[in-house]
Amino acid sequence: MKTEVPVAIAFIAGMLMIVSLFSPHPIFAEPAAVMRNWAIIITAFAYVLGVANIARISAGTVRTRGRDWHYKIVLLASLGVMLGIGLSGGIQAGSPFDWGYINVMVPMQATMFSLLAFFIASAAYRAFRARSVEATLLLVTAVIVMLGRVPVGEGLWNGLPAFTEWIMEVPNMAAKRGIMIGAALGAISTGLKMILGLERSYLGSDK
Amino acid sequence: MRIRFLRERTPAHALPSISSGLLIAALALASLAGGAEAAVSVYDVPNDGGDALRVSWAGELADTAAVLIERLADGETEWKQVATLGGGAGEYVDSGLERGRTYMYRVSAVGTAGSRGAVGAGSGAPHASWFNSERLNQFMIFALYFLAVIICIRLAARGWTFYVRRIAGLKAIEEAIGRATEMGRPVLYVPGIDDMNNIQTIASMVILNDVARIAATYETPMIVPVCRPFVVPVAEEAVQQGYLNAGRPELYKPDTVRYLSDVQFAFTAGVSGIMLREKTAANLYLGSFFAESLVLAETGFSTGAIQVAGTANIHQLPFFVAACDYALIGEELYAASAYLSNEPMLVGTLKASDIAKIFIIAVVLAGVIAQTAGWDAFAEWFSPR
């Protein structure tokens, strides 16, 4: 029963969504819209689970003086402070919660994102080392595309921007579309496996 | 309901100022016909849920400043103005209507001097369509694919064995967990940063189940950082089930699945911190990733971990290919559950995908030939609508 009932629910819900894609009749469209709203509501409630999870694990680490337990105190304190000022003062623009978000969260996010520039450089250095035919091909293509997208490339050869566009629009696009078609088929296949109950390992067992 | 013409007289004092010849002609024709039912037509909008009607009137009303559309619903007594259109308009779609209710429409033309005259009226009731004929092409392709899946599953159930090519990235997962076991360090599994409504996250949960089974067999601890709270219970269930399948449920620790943050780079910082502090020996990134992909993969590389990544987000694939030891490209992510479990029925669905790919290749070739020959209808039929 532990798996049969969820599989039956998944089948009914999945088939309803598929049918509502092809039939605009309210008999199908209205329940499908209601279920989409349910999904949003359930997702919102899931935040309680998330907070419970992070609080339980962090509090456990602090209690047992586990590894890096002092960081967990900072985490729990930040969680409590932001939760408190959000619930008491609201989250609208100009509120203390908004001030904390704008002045602490946003700069920290920007800092993490800016690291990407350095990581791209180090990853590109490794990827472009010409150790095999494929890597050499990648290196040559990358150099052409990079040169074709900056003014100095056009200065070297005025046909370079057009050649770069050809590389991006023809061979690159062909490969991208091939991957996208395969991924789309895989996604449909995975969805069908779930709906038909063939894939049920994620549900656990009856034991 | 019989279509009824409602004629509104143009005020006498306004007549000399009407400069629209066509407007007068339309009014005259309406008067002569004594009804002019043909002047305004009301049609049900096809392929909808029965909440819209299309009102159209014959001919363009030249020199007309505006066209007023008024509506009278069945059971109401007062006309309601629903739209004011430009003089060149020839039709109007009125939406947000009640399915099955009859609506009467009155179309009036406003001359450049502000005078007003009726063009005509008509009525109709919106009805819901059972099938969206504009999606016939998608439906046929989906139905064919569905049929191929069913046939392959039936064949697998009857004992047919299907060949599945070796996927290096999937073979590497077990090697990576084995390496982590040898080094006595944990395995990190990141299921992407999207929610459970993303099919990649669902596929990732299925793989997580198998990864947890292998890790439990080797008695290697796992860390599963999660970006979306809704993924937490699913991931916990998948990991627990994996430990149970390995016959080692007692090894499961409640802090294996850790919710960090649903903010993209806060989550990235958290995962990077786990890699650096816990020194994870095998990092598996399988799911939907965005700009954080390279930050994670490069941090993992700096710790010396063996890394296997897989995503169907095409713009992140180059980063994973560049920074990870193995990468599952697009469909390989979805093939993982069938590949790892070797369950005949699941492998059958892989074969259905192969059949679909052969069909798509044939259609692409036929499309190239058709377009080259100047027959556009073939490509148009396959276009999304």
Side-chain angles (χ1 to χ4, degrees):
Chain A
M1 282 297 282
K2 194 186 164 193
T3 53
E4 273 75 11
V5 173
V7 165
I9 293 170
F11 178 78
I12 293 165
M15 290 308 288
L16 179 65
M17 287 297 166
I18 291 172
V19 171
S20 70
L21 180 70
F22 299 112
S23 174
H25 200 284
I27 284 179
F28 304 113
E30 285 174 2
V34 168
M35 288 176 75
R36 278 193 288 271
N37 285 336
W38 286 357
I40 294 167
I41 294 164
I42 292 168
T43 303
F45 273 101
Y47 277 89
V48 178
L49 289 175
V51 171
N53 178 283
I54 201 166
R56 178 172 52 82
I57 292 172
S58 301
T61 308
V62 173
R63 197 170 50 248
T64 58
R65 295 292 186 271
R67 195 179 202 182
D68 302 322
W69 62 274
H70 40 283
Y71 292 138
K72 306 295 182 189
I73 293 175
V74 176
L75 189 151
L76 289 170
S78 306
L79 178 69
V81 168
M82 288 303 276
L83 192 69
I85 61 173
L87 288 172
S88 60
I91 59 168
Q92 67 279 7
S95 63
F97 182 92
D98 183 60
W99 186 91
Y101 183 80
I102 297 293
N103 292 287
V104 180
M105 197 71 187
V106 172
M108 287 199 297
Q109 284 192 71
T111 305
M112 281 304 295
F113 191 34
S114 62
L115 289 174
L116 199 57
F118 303 101
F119 286 138
I120 283 178
S122 62
Y125 171 74
R126 288 203 311 280
F128 294 162
R129 275 183 297 182
R131 290 187 298 190
S132 63
V133 176
E134 290 87 354
T136 310
L137 200 62
L138 186 68
L139 171 66
V140 172
T141 312
V143 168
I144 291 170
V145 171
M146 283 190 284
L147 279 174
R149 300 227 156 163
V150 290
V152 70
E154 194 171 6
L156 290 170
W157 175 43
N158 59 8
L160 204 54
F163 185 53
T164 296
E165 277 308 301
W166 180 84
I167 289 172
M168 297 303 291
E169 294 299 324
V170 182
N172 180 60
M173 186 63 79
K176 272 172 73 174
R177 285 182 179 165
I179 295 170
M180 283 161 69
I181 289 170
L185 288 171
I188 297 170
S189 178
T190 303
L192 284 177
K193 280 187 280 188
M194 298 285 173
I195 290 169
L196 297 174
L198 292 171
E199 180 63 77
R200 54 176 76 185
S201 56
Y202 67 102
L203 290 170
S205 72
D206 282 326
K207 292 171 193 169
Chain B
M1 186 178 172
R2 185 176 169 273
I3 295 172
R4 197 154 56 94
F5 175 65
L6 296 173
R7 186 153 50 93
E8 188 169 291
R9 286 186 180 278
T10 305
H13 65 272
L15 273 174
S17 61
I18 296 175
S19 58
S20 168
L22 269 175
L23 171 62
I24 294 167
L27 287 169
L29 276 171
S31 303
L32 283 171
E37 284 87 350
V40 172
S41 304
V42 180
Y43 302 103
D44 178 34
V45 174
N47 303 319
D48 73 345
D51 65 345
L53 287 169
R54 176 177 281 117
V55 183
S56 65
W57 46 98
E60 188 176 309
L61 303 174
D63 298 330
T64 303
V67 177
L68 300 181
I69 314 290
E70 292 169 292
R71 183 180 72 203
L72 181 69
D74 187 25
E76 291 179 354
T77 53
E78 283 189 24
W79 288 88
K80 184 183 173 189
Q81 187 174 318
V82 290
T84 305
L85 308 172
E91 68 168 31
Y92 172 70
V93 175
D94 192 18
S95 56
L97 305 177
E98 189 183 321
R99 181 162 45 98
R101 192 177 186 184
T102 303
Y103 293 88
M104 188 169 290
Y105 288 89
R106 185 164 65 181
V107 179
S108 307
V110 178
T112 48
S115 57
R116 184 174 161 180
V119 174
S123 67
H127 297 286
S129 304
W130 285 100
F131 183 74
N132 186 348
S133 60
E134 289 187 344
R135 290 185 175 162
L136 178 65
N137 53 1
Q138 294 173 45
F139 177 76
M140 286 180 69
I141 292 167
F142 179 80
L144 283 172
Y145 185 56
F146 193 86
L147 191 67
V149 169
I150 298 294
I151 290 170
C152 289
I153 289 169
R154 299 275 295 179
L155 289 174
R158 287 182 185 179
W160 278 50
T161 51
F162 295 110
Y163 168 75
V164 182
R165 70 180 168 85
R166 186 177 179 276
I167 301 174
L170 292 174
K171 290 292 283 182
I173 288 176
E174 189 159 359
E175 291 169 24
I177 299 169
R179 184 165 176 260
T181 308
E182 287 169 5
M183 296 174 79
R185 291 187 196 163
V187 173
L188 179 77
Y189 187 99
V190 188
I193 66 162
D194 243 329
D195 222 323
M196 282 308 298
N197 60 356
N198 188 312
I199 193 77
Q200 293 184 62
T201 310
I202 295 172
S204 181
M205 289 299 108
V206 176
I207 303 168
L208 175 61
N209 181 265
D210 280 309
V211 169
R213 178 180 53 78
I214 299 166
T217 306
Y218 293 154
E219 299 181 19
T220 303
M222 278 186 79
I223 302 170
V224 184
V226 173
C227 186
R228 303 284 171 179
F230 199 86
V231 180
V232 171
V234 187
E236 284 177 339
E237 187 68 33
V239 174
Q240 270 183 313
Q241 185 59 36
Y243 277 71
L244 197 64
N245 291 344
R248 305 302 303 272
E250 74 281 2
L251 292 178
Y252 174 74
K253 290 180 183 169
D255 65 346
T256 301
V257 178
R258 302 175 189 179
Y259 172 69
L260 298 182
S261 170
D262 70 343
V263 177
Q264 184 184 22
F265 284 101
F267 175 76
T268 310
V271 177
S272 299
I274 289 171
M275 287 182 209
L276 295 168
R277 286 194 303 273
E278 308 274 351
K279 301 285 181 203
T280 52
N283 298 340
L284 311 175
Y285 314 105
L286 299 163
S288 177
F289 290 88
F290 295 90
E292 73 288 346
S293 61
L294 191 62
V295 178
L296 295 176
E298 278 295 284
T299 307
F301 176 81
S302 71
T303 63
I306 183 167
Q307 303 198 100
V308 182
T311 184
N313 290 359
I314 200 157
H315 293 101
Q316 304 308 319
L317 276 171
F319 297 134
F320 278 146
V321 170
C324 295
D325 299 286
Y326 297 93
L328 299 174
I329 296 171
E331 63 180 324
E332 291 176 342
L333 175 71
Y334 301 112
S337 67
Y339 190 93
L340 290 170
S341 67
N342 214 20
E343 171 70 34
M345 305 268 259
L346 297 179
V347 173
T349 61
L350 294 185
K351 282 295 129 185
S353 294
D354 288 347
I355 293 167
K357 273 182 256 176
I358 293 167
F359 172 76
I360 288 169
I361 290 167
V363 168
V364 168
L365 287 174
V368 168
I369 293 166
Q371 285 294 103
T372 308
W375 186 44
D376 296 338
F378 186 82
E380 279 170 15
W381 193 85
F382 281 97
S383 301
R385 289 162 220 166

